Amino acid sequence: MRALLVVNPKATTTSARTRDVLTHALRSDLKLEVAHTQYRGHARDLARQAADDGAVDLVVALGGDGTVNEVVNGLLAHGPGERVPRLAVVPGGSTNVFARALGLPNDPVEATGVLLDALDGRRERPVGLGKAMTEGLPDRWFTFTAGLGFDAGVVGRVEEQRKAGRRSTHALYVGQALRHYVTEREHRRSGPVTLEIPGRAPTPGLVLAIVSNTSPWTFLGNRPVYPSPLASFDTDLDVFGITRMTAFGTARTVRQILRSYAPSTDETPAAGPSGKHVVSYHDVRHFTLVSQEPAPFQVDGDHLGDRSRVSFTGVRRALRVIV
């Protein structure tokens, strides 16, 4: 199989030696070309070129969720189709939500072993993705989450800290979330975001809106976070929102989403966060988030600035993934 390995040399949890070992292991089963990213968006450009040329059957992303998102957007620059190369992921970031949601080990060496077994057994699965459309930006595919409001504001704060030299850790996210909560007093009681779903009455006053394409939405260390426990790569999108963030109510909701609410093996419905100020929808194909004023917007943990209107679409079987 012809393959392109897209390597993020700044990946958080891999060293140059580890990346060399993984590359050597993949070369044992693949006709492999290796490319190292050199700038933001380079992984997207490399994947798009590979898809346009038709020169490879598989693109392997070695890096974190940001690298994976760029590769996916490059592969799907012209939309889904049979000629789009397959995707494989070797986790190298601090959280690796997409890889872990696929059931891959969080360790890159172990994940490479699973990938080689999957290639040998010709195992792949179709994966649904989300698509975000907003004025002033190209359409953006996402693998596991997008958000408008409070959560995206936290992502923006973390990115500022990383540009200042801080390392991306779960403690950094928690610390910035607490700081953002303290400073965003104006919108904690009534948010600026309205959820619009075709055929339903609008839901105004959202402080945050988290769009999930899978569950868990993210991890705190080894602990999964479940705002939308029924979200799946096999369905359309789920939406979770909060209309008021009081200290007591927010603490209660945080406890709920940190519990193990994953669907059980006997197919009984999974419980999710609940409460007077919680909004939740499952398996929605089309909807729009509209803000009275520009609000922070994020896709797969990548802060994309402030936006007033973002439309979302769930696209089933958008990509084939080796797993």
Side-chain angles (χ1 to χ4, degrees):
M1 181 179 286
R2 302 167 302 169
L4 170 66
L5 175 63
V6 177
V7 179
N8 179 0
K10 296 182 180 180
T12 308
T13 58
T14 59
S15 63
R17 178 177 176 81
T18 301
R19 292 191 289 272
D20 288 343
V21 170
L22 299 180
T23 300
H24 181 75
L26 291 171
R27 276 208 168 103
S28 65
D29 276 25
L30 299 168
K31 185 178 180 181
L32 191 69
E33 177 184 348
V34 180
H36 290 77
T37 60
Q38 299 175 8
Y39 54 85
R40 185 170 183 171
H42 196 190
R44 178 200 60 225
D45 296 342
L46 291 167
R48 178 171 182 167
Q49 188 64 52
D52 288 348
D53 292 345
V56 301
D57 310 296
L58 170 70
V59 176
V60 183
L62 172 51
D65 287 309
T67 303
V68 174
N69 181 276
E70 287 191 14
V71 168
V72 167
N73 277 274
L75 290 175
L76 297 179
H78 304 297
E82 288 299 318
R83 298 184 62 184
V84 174
R86 293 164 178 80
L87 171 70
V89 177
V90 177
S94 59
T95 308
N96 308 307
V97 179
F98 181 64
R100 293 163 79 175
L102 287 169
L104 292 171
N106 200 35
D107 178 80
V109 176
E110 293 180 16
T112 300
V114 172
L115 172 57
L116 293 173
D117 286 343
L119 289 168
D120 186 58
R122 299 181 178 273
R123 296 196 310 268
E124 64 178 64
R125 63 170 291 187
V127 168
L129 299 173
K131 192 175 185 180
M133 296 147 282
T134 184
E135 185 178 354
L137 288 175
D139 294 352
R140 184 72 174 256
W141 295 91
F142 58 95
T143 63
F144 61 93
T145 191
L148 188 71
F150 183 89
D151 73 296
V154 175
V155 170
R157 282 175 170 267
V158 170
E159 287 199 4
E160 290 177 359
Q161 292 295 311
R162 293 183 66 181
K163 289 177 182 177
R166 295 282 301 276
R167 185 180 178 187
S168 178
T169 64
H170 297 102
L172 178 61
Y173 274 91
V174 172
Q176 293 306 310
L178 292 173
R179 287 175 179 270
H180 197 54
Y181 179 83
V182 171
T183 57
E184 287 295 304
R185 295 179 180 177
E186 180 182 352
H187 290 148
R188 290 207 311 247
R189 291 186 176 275
S190 181
V193 178
T194 296
L195 169 63
E196 298 179 351
I197 300 176
R200 297 179 181 269
T203 304
L206 296 177
V207 179
L208 65 79
I210 296 172
V211 182
S212 294
N213 185 53
T214 187
S215 188
W217 162 66
T218 190
F219 291 84
L220 286 175
N222 291 322
R223 192 162 191 172
V225 180
Y226 294 105
S228 298
L230 292 178
S232 166
F233 291 130
D234 300 319
T235 63
D236 289 318
L237 302 173
D238 283 31
V239 190
F240 166 81
I242 298 177
T243 57
R244 188 175 181 183
M245 295 183 72
T246 63
F248 176 79
T250 302
R252 179 177 182 270
T253 302
V254 168
R255 286 197 301 271
Q256 289 178 334
I257 66 176
L258 287 175
R259 293 173 184 166
S260 296
Y261 278 128
S264 62
T265 54
D266 62 2
E267 298 185 356
T268 55
S274 61
K276 181 180 179 181
H277 302 293
V278 171
V279 175
S280 181
Y281 290 96
H282 170 59
D283 195 13
V284 185
R285 178 156 296 183
H286 302 289
F287 59 92
T288 300
L289 295 173
V290 182
S291 182
Q292 297 172 2
E293 58 192 59
F297 172 50
Q298 66 88 13
V299 166
D300 280 351
D302 184 11
H303 186 260
L304 300 181
D306 293 350
R307 292 291 180 269
S308 297
R309 183 182 185 92
V310 187
S311 295
F312 296 89
T313 298
V315 181
R316 301 194 184 194
R317 305 176 69 88
L319 200 61
R320 292 169 297 170
V321 181
I322 305 295
V323 67

